[in-house]
Amino acid sequence: MKKPSKKATIGIVIAAVVVVIGIAAAVFGPMIYRDVIAEPAAEAPALEIESTTPSAADASTLAGSWTVASGSYAGYRVDEVLNGTDVTVTGRTETVSGTLTTTETELTAADITVDVASIATDEQRRDEYFRSEALDTAANPEATFTLDEPVAALDGLADGTQATIPATGTLTLNGVSQQVTIDLTAGLDGDNVQVAGSIPVTFADYGVEAPNLGFVSVEPTGSVEFLLVLERA
């Protein structure tokens, strides 16, 4: 049998190397993307309390009206599967507005609005798909949360403690409204109040089909997350 020429042998070796690289890219590429290229998922929202000592004017009561102030943000957390590799993705926006009303011991009303069209991740193409395909942000650019019933759990905040408050409200996303139950974490930060929370969502409940592009798919559930910094109206 005629031995392959040196040139043919080199060609075979190069082809084998290319195949190996291709296999390695398919196997390890998603993990490299997750661990090296992609930005890490943001931490879950948590209170960022600098001082639990209220001013003299605010120490006596929490009653009144509050508005969402600078430092607030909202967004989502989802899990993608990229060629079999799990990647957690978080999107954030600081375009959040709203008002809350309290007595000394109760949260009696809350209306929060989030500009979902401005939510961004580390990948522009993902964001464009989110705005035009996953959600129709041209038709429904905002998401809202409205408290459905008073929450009697605010006593103690004026003493510098934090409270976990189970609340029931209506979340409107993609033009669809669903009643949700959420645990809010609240704390006094000097003259302001901070509230953090996460709302589990099933996308189909809001008329959203979780994207599946073959090489990458999104799990059918995720969460809406937020941190609200509230100042007196």
Side-chain angles (χ1 to χ4, degrees):
M1 178 180 295
K2 184 178 179 181
K3 295 177 62 177
S5 66
K6 183 177 181 181
K7 185 176 181 180
T9 301
I10 293 175
I12 294 172
V13 171
I14 292 175
V17 170
V18 170
V19 170
V20 171
I21 291 175
I23 294 174
V27 174
F28 298 108
M31 288 183 285
I32 293 173
Y33 171 81
R34 178 193 63 192
D35 298 334
V36 179
I37 300 175
E39 292 183 6
E43 296 291 334
L47 303 187
E48 300 172 358
I49 303 297
E50 295 182 1
S51 172
T52 59
T53 303
S55 67
D58 292 330
S60 60
T61 178
L62 290 170
S65 296
W66 302 79
T67 59
V68 176
S70 174
S72 302
Y73 65 83
Y76 66 83
R77 180 180 300 269
V78 298
D79 288 327
E80 291 181 345
V81 181
L82 178 62
N83 286 342
T85 298
D86 294 333
V87 180
T88 299
V89 175
T90 50
R92 294 285 186 264
T93 179
E94 295 182 358
T95 309
V96 185
S97 60
T99 59
L100 292 86
T101 304
T102 60
T103 66
E104 292 186 12
T105 59
E106 287 188 334
L107 172 63
T108 57
D111 291 285
I112 307 299
T113 299
V114 178
D115 179 15
V116 295
S118 66
I119 293 176
T121 68
D122 62 334
E123 174 54 57
Q124 184 177 356
R125 287 174 296 181
R126 179 194 292 119
D127 298 339
E128 292 173 351
Y129 187 94
F130 168 80
R131 294 164 186 158
S132 63
E133 301 294 336
L135 299 179
D136 184 2
T137 58
N140 302 291
E142 297 177 338
T144 61
F145 174 83
T146 301
L147 188 70
D148 288 346
E149 54 192 50
V151 175
L154 296 184
D155 51 320
L157 289 190
D159 295 327
T161 60
Q162 296 183 13
T164 299
I165 307 169
T168 300
T170 298
L171 175 65
T172 300
L173 178 65
N174 200 37
V176 179
S177 298
Q178 299 283 347
Q179 189 173 72
V180 296
T181 299
I182 177 176
D183 286 335
L184 303 174
T185 302
L188 193 63
D189 183 21
D191 292 341
N192 296 336
V193 173
Q194 291 189 18
V195 180
S198 176
I199 306 174
V201 296
T202 299
F203 298 125
D205 291 345
Y206 297 89
V208 177
E209 183 177 352
N212 188 337
L213 305 180
F215 66 95
V216 59
S217 62
V218 176
E219 296 293 346
T221 60
S223 59
V224 174
E225 302 179 328
F226 57 87
L227 172 67
L228 303 179
V229 177
L230 307 173
E231 63 183 12
R232 288 191 177 276

